[in-house]
Amino acid sequence: MFDFLHRRGAEDRRGFAEKKPINFCGASVVKKGSSKRFFRLHSGLEVNSGIIFFILLSLTGGFPGWAQSTQTFLVQAKPQPNSTALVVGESFRLKSSLLNEEREISVYLPSGYATSKQRYPVIVALDGEGTAPVAANAVAFLTRNLAISQMPEALVIGVKNTNRNRDMPVPREYGNGGEAKFLAFLADELLPLVEQRYRTLPLRILLGHSQGGLFAHYALTARPTVFQWYLALDAPLAGFPESKSILEKVRQLTRKPDFQGRLISLETLYGWKKEWPSLLEKASRGLYAEQVEIKDETHETMVYKGIYEGLKRLFHDYAPNLLRDNQGLYPLARLEERYRELSKAYGYEVRIPQSLLVESANRFLARQDGAQAEELLKRVVLLYGASPGTRQLLAQAEAVRKKGTDPRLAEWSQIPPPEPEHMKPFLGTWESRRKDGAVWLMTFEMRNGVVLARSQVTPPNGEAVQLEVQFVRVREGGTIEWGLVNGMGGGIIFHSGKLTNANTLEGTIEPVGIQHAPPPRPFVYLRSQAAT
């Protein structure tokens, strides 16, 4: 069953011995000498015979085991006009006294590492030649490519193989000492060096696939304080008699009242499988664990999807769900409370993400609440500095605050339900077809003496969307008014109209408290269904 795992280990060793070029983004990084600095590319590269030399001085620091040497690279590429260098990370060789060999380590750095003083969690990726670049890409996407970051930026440390089956054995080979030495290398040689040379935080995550996933479970039980969180992909656990002792040790450890940690098991062919409920039984409240099935993949191809899904779940609580929570409004005080609690779970002071502060400020600006927006943006400046965009938003928030909010918004939030007698002429379903092809439906009905209102809009060639009705009232003289919540953008879409005959309702729509809103416009609703 594990023949292919042994073959993979042999292939790893052959690749290491042959010193094959490493390909990144279409550029071939060719090794020259015994150690290197890497990932210095140009945007818009074309691979050809053009050669650019990057000569980098050796990293210093004097840590025991650090291989001191000048590191030189040849990057075969033709830089395009006005191109900009992209520095993704660096590589070094570490002379291990515990393993009696040199190990090649890749370090993938956050994009702003060189220009900031920020500290970062550490993700150690076993089988680093394959998993580390995938993990680095996933981290980059989840931190920089979304409106709100879904996890903190992190250092990804790729540990490349020399003798995979010795360091991370198949189940039947556990107990021969190789796994203990490899864990000691990670804990006592590699991680101290990483913490000396880089700005780190006390949150360490161990990521492993297949035999690496089994090793992650072993590391959790053998030295549980080295790493805090674990991401195991298709680990050979359930169904392997030799893995039973590791499973039982994980269960016993996670049942201790003081246990704190997270474990995500991504599974396609292997994993906990039906043994998973036994982990959760009597588990400490400090354990967060998820079992995730990766479908439509093989044992080998599940890695790419699995790492992304695993990181999302490890950091499931990092960012609030603005679509679900409180119409997406997070004032500064609420964010401060949330991240104080999160800091306890993560083991370090978690700063409110810059993207969340800015997005929250924009949502308050959309509601014309300049004071809340200004407070949020000032915190952005305090934590992350003042960019031109932040200064522009601050000026806008100050102007909105001085102008003040529309007093009708506060009034409308306090309107009680209308009297049933006043609503009788308007009961039923009303339809309005707009010039753009959208169809709006407004339904007023009576249930148990209470007036209920529903609104639905169907855009051209789209699916129907339900809109929240904040208030309905009927004024003297027969004017009906209602307000629709403007989705996540804030503000109210205010309707005011009168019956021109029994089945026609005409009036105006006015966006209120909505930034860059269009002027009021007329509407016509026709009764499509009478009240029943």
Side-chain angles (χ1 to χ4, degrees), residues 2 170-174 214 236-237 239-246:
F2 278 92
V170 297
R172 64 175 176 267
E173 298 297 331
Y174 267 76
L214 176 61
L237 295 167
F240 295 88
E242 301 88 350
S243 296
K244 284 185 176 179
S245 62
I246 291 180

Side-chain angles (χ1 to χ4, degrees), residues 207-273:
L207 181 160
H209 169 245
S210 192
Q211 290 165 237
L214 176 61
F215 178 83
H217 284 80
Y218 163 77
L220 168 61
T221 62
R223 295 182 65 172
T225 60
V226 176
F227 299 94
Q228 289 72 50
W229 296 358
Y230 301 82
L231 199 164
L233 300 106
D234 233 20
L237 295 167
F240 295 88
E242 301 88 350
S243 296
K244 284 185 176 179
S245 62
I246 291 180
L247 289 174
E248 182 56 29
K249 288 177 181 178
V250 172
R251 282 189 284 260
Q252 294 302 322
L253 176 68
T254 56
R255 288 174 182 175
K256 293 182 178 181
D258 60 347
F259 178 82
Q260 296 285 333
R262 299 187 179 187
L263 170 63
I264 310 297
S265 180
L266 292 305
E267 304 180 1
T268 296
L269 182 62
Y270 304 128
W272 282 76
K273 299 299 182 182

Side-chain angles (χ1 to χ4, degrees), residues 377-456:
L377 292 167
K378 285 180 178 179
R379 183 56 55 90
V380 172
V381 173
L382 179 65
L383 294 178
Y384 301 100
S387 66
T390 304
R391 292 191 187 96
Q392 184 178 357
L393 280 175
L394 259 174
Q396 186 178 343
E398 183 180 2
V400 171
R401 174 179 57 78
K402 290 179 178 178
K403 180 181 177 181
T405 59
D406 193 310
R408 291 179 295 176
L409 293 173
E411 176 200 352
W412 290 336
S413 67
Q414 306 296 323
I415 291 177
E419 294 293 331
E421 188 66 27
H422 297 160
M423 282 296 300
K424 282 183 178 180
F426 305 101
L427 296 179
T429 298
W430 301 79
E431 180 180 292
S432 176
R433 293 185 175 271
R434 308 295 165 84
K435 291 180 180 180
D436 61 3
V439 178
W440 291 63
L441 294 179
M442 193 70 207
T443 301
F444 303 108
E445 60 184 342
M446 194 88 67
R447 289 187 187 176
N448 301 322
V450 177
V451 176
L452 300 177
R454 300 193 311 275
S455 179
Q456 174 183 297

Side-chain angles (χ1 to χ4, degrees), residues 90 107-123 153-157 191-203 348 351:
E90 58 194 28
V107 182
Y108 293 77
L109 301 168
S111 61
Y113 186 87
T115 57
S116 77
K117 296 181 180 179
Q118 186 175 338
R119 293 184 173 273
Y120 303 91
V122 174
I123 300 172
E153 291 189 298
L155 296 169
V156 177
I157 311 297
L191 286 171
L193 174 60
V194 168
E195 291 183 350
Q196 176 187 333
R197 297 206 59 84
Y198 303 100
R199 301 189 302 274
T200 66
L201 287 167
L203 175 58
Y348 69 91
R351 300 196 299 182

